[in-house]
Amino acid sequence: MAQQQMISVWLDVPMRTAFSYLHPQPLPDGTRVRVAFGTRELCGVVDNSQQPPQVAPDKLKPVLAVLAGPTLPPLLLEQVAFAARYYLHPPGQALFTALPTALREPRDVAGQDRHCYVLSEQGRQAPPPPRSKVKLLLWHALQQPQTREALRQLHAQAHRYLADGLASGDIVALPWQAPPLQVCDALPLNPEQEAARAAVAAALGGYAAFLLHGITGSGKTEVYLQLIAEVLAAGRQVLVIIPEINLTPQLIHRFACRFPATLIACLHSGLSDGERLQGWLDAEAGRAGIVIGTRLAVFTPLPQLGLVIVDEEHDGSFKQQDGLRYHARDLAVWRAHRQQVPVLLGSATPSLETVANAEAGRYRKLVLASRAHDGATLPQIGLLDVRRQRLDDGLAPEVVAALRRRLARREMSLVFINRRGYAPVLACTDCGWTSACRHCSARMVLHLSARQLRCHHCGAVQRIPVQCPDCGNPDIKPLGEGTQRLEAALQRLLPEARILRIDRDSTSTKAAWDGIYQRVHAGEVDILVGTQMLAKGHDFGALSLVVVLGSDGALYSADFRAGERLFAQLMQVAGRAGRAGVAGQVVIQTQWPEHPLYLALQQHDFDGYAANLLAERREAGFPPAAYQVVLRADAPAYADAELFLQHAMLALGTPPEGVSLFGPAPALMARLAGRERAQLTIEAVQRVMLHGWLRSMLPQIEALARKAPRQLRWSLDVDPLE
């Protein structure tokens, strides 16, 4: 019997060690295998650099099968190992988080046939008879190399002709070859855009980090496109990371129009498992010249990577909020450094972390201070004091008049409120009852069209009560406004207007968003009513008026990042107006017109407001002036969660000098989906000290977790945003 080889394998389990299995031959790192784990069969990934615990060979199980499909490249394993180490996460789980769903399963995988097919000399000499019209059509097509998909479009039975031709030798398969690069006409760059393009282009071939701070409408995307053309011309690949799925079709269309012959891989959660796998395989094989995706795309293998772009780098959706709690922007910077390519972080409202890095010289700041479109200027921002105004379903008379004027001029308007549904809460006018969620520390939102109350946090749904559940009063009323209520109010106040609501309820599918986008750009909409989905990345040329409602709530938040988020959101949504030749106006309804945030917004003074926020953070010792890790626990009973964190504090002992512990304390949303949540915040002024100490303490925390009640869950969140 042949000597069995011991193989180290990562599994998708919450343990920090690899597992040993036996196989007759050595297997290279990155090989996917099927193995038995307890009563289950799992997919595993071979990593011989790991030294699992010593186990007698007769106690080890054999590898059940070596799975067909790609071998994971070494750089992906290295990137995942870094992410697991930095975010203090089990390496096996981190690795499987980074893979498309199809590669996580214990089965063979195969992508589309990307070969090209052409007639051999033998096949050219033997044309089909004239009566075989289908065969003759395909024979003529195969005089030139054709993909399997192109042949299938010529005729549904092309695969049979292809199989017969391959078997007889009349047709031969050619390896995939990139078509010649085609670049359609680019837009002229203004001097600021050209300076930014030239700075990044000069750094191609080595690592450099750039912040492209461009005001809304300044033409950041055109700078990206012209840089991408240079990278593609050099035979390299480009990774573009964006925050929202809904931005993908717009970007894909624009990129495809500029580079019609380039294979573009699109990676986001709206795709099927097969589509996502194919994009991953095209990128890993070097076939995809451009990869566009949301945060998980940062792990996509690109053997010829030449440039990394992170658009809207400030966006909070780049931070994963469960499992491996990574930040795609930060991993993109690490990856660019590791592969020695430039990384370009673009935003009109950079995060304070990025601003601090630029101030420290770690990033080079490039500025686009004027709009790219001829004649386009930043919109005028007005503050409408509504403290003594009588509002009609949340709308001030001046706002309705402004909307009516735009309607008469056939200009488009946007009414922005970051609350979907009809109203944020249903309330009793007698006893004060409100529609609280039974499972969360939140109110259930009234969705009148569906006759439901919904919790936007846990997804709970219930019917609208006909009377107050507490006192029986039938006079229960909606309080506040959501997108649905505003849509109904505008239809009543401006019946001649064509109104379109855009929120997560109206764009639940890709087809729905595509239809909405086409209607807007076809000029079939007078007034948009929407949430933050409209605040970034979209270019509506006819939009001249933006009305902002309900933004004051963020001014009262206990979250120290609330002001930064609100300023970025309002500056982004204001930037939708006046991007073409039409002058833009923004009206913000507020009860705090003298607030510094609004005054800075009026002046479009991001730099001044960011400087003030950074000074406050440094004085208070908050990020980016310090580094944080949050140890969270949740359980059906709050006492269990708090007790676990108290025991964790005792196990951690006295922290080293420069490290502070705060808590345990309830989370900002103390109850979510029926579970009580508590947290312990660990903070330090030096990142290396914080991580080193916590890494050494992890065994004690994990030992505590094993003794905790089975229903308790815990997690570590490095560099938390919430």
Side-chain angles (χ1 to χ4, degrees):
M1 183 176 179
Q3 178 70 32
Q4 294 285 302
Q5 304 291 320
M6 190 177 294
I7 306 295
S8 295
V9 177
W10 288 118
L11 299 176
D12 189 7
V13 295
M15 301 181 71
R16 298 181 184 272
T17 58
F19 294 85
S20 294
Y21 288 87
L22 296 176
H23 193 262
Q25 297 90 28
L27 295 174
D29 291 351
T31 303
R32 294 169 58 251
V33 294
R34 178 160 51 86
V35 297
F37 187 77
T39 59
R40 299 178 291 165
E41 290 187 358
L42 300 179
C43 176
V45 175
V46 174
D47 186 356
N48 293 301
S49 68
Q50 299 303 305
Q51 297 296 323
Q54 292 298 315
V55 180
D58 60 339
K59 302 290 186 183
L60 297 180
K61 297 178 180 179
V63 170
L64 299 178
V66 176
L67 298 173
T71 298
L72 305 185
L75 188 60
L76 173 61
L77 299 179
E78 183 182 346
Q79 183 181 6
V80 168
F82 167 79
R85 188 168 61 253
Y86 182 81
Y87 292 104
L88 305 173
H89 199 70
Q93 288 187 325
L95 176 57
F96 281 84
T97 296
L99 298 179
T101 301
L103 293 180
R104 304 175 194 175
E105 299 173 356
R107 59 181 177 85
D108 297 339
V109 296
Q112 296 177 10
D113 181 1
R114 293 294 194 190
H115 287 93
C116 288
Y117 298 92
V118 69
L119 291 172
S120 65
E121 189 59 36
Q122 169 185 313
R124 292 177 191 275
Q125 302 301 323
R131 66 178 180 275
S132 301
K133 294 183 179 180
V134 173
K135 292 182 179 179
L136 197 61
L137 171 70
L138 297 171
W139 182 83
H140 280 298
L142 284 164
Q143 300 290 328
Q144 300 294 327
Q146 302 286 339
T147 65
R148 187 180 291 268
E149 183 61 30
L151 293 171
R152 188 182 294 115
Q153 290 177 0
L154 287 174
H155 197 276
Q157 299 301 316
H159 64 282
R160 293 184 179 176
Y161 179 74
L162 187 60
D164 292 344
L166 289 169
S168 65
D170 288 346
I171 299 173
V172 294
L174 304 175
W176 185 89
Q177 289 185 336
L181 176 64
Q182 297 180 33
V183 182
C184 293
D185 292 342
L187 299 175
L189 300 181
N190 62 33
E192 290 178 336
Q193 290 174 300
E194 174 56 30
R197 185 211 61 79
V200 181
L204 293 174
Y207 170 74
F210 296 91
L211 164 61
L212 182 60
H213 184 189
I215 63 169
T216 53
S218 60
K220 293 185 289 294
T221 304
E222 185 60 33
V223 175
Y224 300 158
L225 288 168
Q226 297 202 20
L227 284 168
I228 290 170
E230 295 190 48
V231 175
L232 295 177
R236 311 289 287 182
Q237 296 170 285
V238 180
L239 173 62
V240 182
I241 307 176
I242 60 175
E244 287 281 354
I245 292 175
N246 292 323
L247 297 178
T248 311
Q250 179 183 357
L251 271 181
I252 287 287
H253 175 73
R254 191 165 177 183
F255 279 45
C257 289
R258 182 65 60 87
F259 308 108
T262 299
L263 181 59
I264 300 174
C266 184
L267 300 172
H268 58 73
S269 60
L271 302 174
S272 68
D273 290 350
E275 290 172 323
R276 189 148 195 165
L277 173 65
Q278 186 58 52
W280 192 96
L281 291 173
D282 285 336
E284 187 269 338
R287 294 187 292 261
I290 303 171
V291 173
I292 302 177
T294 48
R295 61 176 175 258
L296 193 58
V298 74
F299 291 104
T300 306
L302 293 150
Q304 300 298 323
L305 183 63
L307 175 65
V308 178
I309 297 171
V310 183
D311 194 28
E312 308 290 358
E313 68 81 27
H314 66 279
D315 199 279
S317 65
F318 286 130
K319 172 71 171 176
Q320 175 73 20
Q321 297 296 348
D322 55 22
L324 174 64
R325 290 168 167 81
Y326 66 94
H327 200 300
R329 177 200 62 216
D330 299 341
L331 284 184
V333 174
W334 180 91
R335 181 169 181 180
H337 183 269
R338 174 61 183 81
Q339 293 192 252
Q340 287 297 292
V341 300
V343 58
L344 181 58
L345 311 178
S347 177
T349 54
S351 66
L352 290 190
E353 284 77 9
T354 297
V355 171
N357 279 324
E359 287 186 357
R362 287 185 285 271
Y363 300 165
R364 179 178 170 186
K365 185 176 181 180
L366 309 171
V367 178
L368 304 180
S370 57
R371 288 195 152 177
H373 192 284
D374 289 341
T377 58
L378 286 172
Q380 290 187 337
I381 299 177
L383 304 175
L384 182 57
D385 189 346
V386 296
R387 283 176 289 194
R388 293 178 177 84
Q389 295 230 25
R390 184 178 181 85
L391 306 181
D392 190 342
D393 277 334
L395 295 165
E398 291 94 328
V399 163
V400 177
L403 291 169
R404 189 170 282 116
R405 287 193 296 272
R406 292 321 192 277
L407 193 60
R409 298 204 297 254
R410 297 185 178 276
E411 296 172 6
M412 190 164 61
S413 302
L414 165 63
V415 179
F416 174 83
I417 184 167
N418 203 23
R419 288 196 296 264
R420 59 191 174 101
Y422 187 83
V425 65
L426 194 65
C428 174
T429 56
D430 279 359
C431 71
W433 169 88
T434 56
S435 53
C437 177
R438 291 193 296 267
H439 311 289
C440 302
S441 304
R443 307 297 179 192
M444 300 194 82
V445 176
L446 174 62
H447 286 253
L448 197 59
S449 58
R451 304 298 300 170
Q452 290 177 339
L453 294 171
R454 297 180 191 166
C455 178
H456 290 174
H457 298 278
C458 72
V461 175
Q462 68 182 58
R463 296 179 64 181
I464 300 173
V466 296
Q467 61 186 25
C468 174
D470 285 357
C471 70
N473 173 29
D475 189 19
I476 51 177
K477 296 181 178 180
L479 298 182
E481 296 78 32
T483 50
Q484 292 177 9
R485 187 171 190 175
L486 283 172
E487 180 186 27
L490 289 166
Q491 288 170 342
R492 172 174 54 83
L493 295 166
L494 302 168
E496 70 277 22
R498 297 168 297 176
I499 299 168
L500 182 62
R501 173 170 54 87
I502 300 181
D503 55 25
R504 294 203 181 277
D505 297 320
S506 64
T507 58
S508 56
T509 66
K510 178 180 180 295
W513 174 256
D514 288 346
I516 286 172
Y517 197 73
Q518 290 172 9
R519 285 184 60 192
V520 171
H521 284 272
E524 299 174 3
V525 178
D526 298 315
I527 301 176
L528 289 167
V529 179
T531 61
Q532 64 178 351
M533 295 177 67
L534 290 174
K536 51 202 169 190
H538 303 293
D539 192 349
F540 304 132
L543 184 64
S544 64
L545 174 66
V546 171
V547 177
V548 177
L549 310 180
S551 60
D552 287 348
L555 302 177
Y556 315 129
S557 175
D559 184 352
F560 68 85
R561 286 190 171 88
E564 177 187 359
R565 290 192 185 114
L566 177 61
F567 190 89
Q569 184 182 79
L570 294 183
M571 182 167 274
Q572 292 281 345
V573 74
R576 300 312 106 197
R579 295 169 73 96
V582 182
Q585 181 185 2
V586 179
V587 178
I588 301 174
Q589 290 189 182
T590 175
Q591 296 186 7
W592 297 96
E594 69 282 356
H595 195 282
L597 184 148
Y598 291 135
L599 297 179
L601 193 69
Q602 271 194 301
Q603 303 300 318
H604 300 278
D605 185 15
F606 174 84
D607 289 338
Y609 189 66
N612 289 336
L613 286 182
L614 273 175
E616 291 176 3
R617 300 273 185 92
R618 288 171 181 139
E619 186 174 349
F622 286 154
Y627 303 95
Q628 291 181 336
V629 175
V630 172
L631 174 60
R632 295 193 176 97
D634 62 84
Y638 180 78
D640 289 337
E642 185 180 47
L643 184 62
F644 171 77
L645 295 179
Q646 288 174 344
H647 288 164
M649 283 188 69
L650 293 174
L652 290 171
T654 303
E657 186 176 353
V659 177
S660 302
L661 276 62
F662 303 96
L668 283 179
M669 180 169 288
R671 183 174 174 82
L672 178 65
R675 299 182 67 84
E676 302 288 344
R677 309 194 305 161
Q679 61 189 40
L680 177 67
T681 302
I682 309 161
E683 190 173 280
V685 293
Q686 293 184 358
R687 176 184 282 153
V688 173
M689 175 190 297
L690 177 62
H691 280 249
W693 180 62
L694 280 176
R695 206 170 287 121
S696 68
M697 294 292 107
L698 271 176
Q700 288 92 317
I701 298 174
E702 291 175 332
L704 278 173
R706 287 192 290 270
K707 298 176 183 176
R710 178 172 294 183
Q711 291 183 312
L712 181 132
R713 298 187 305 219
W714 69 281
S715 64
L716 280 167
D717 190 355
V718 177
D719 301 334
L721 290 186
E722 293 185 353

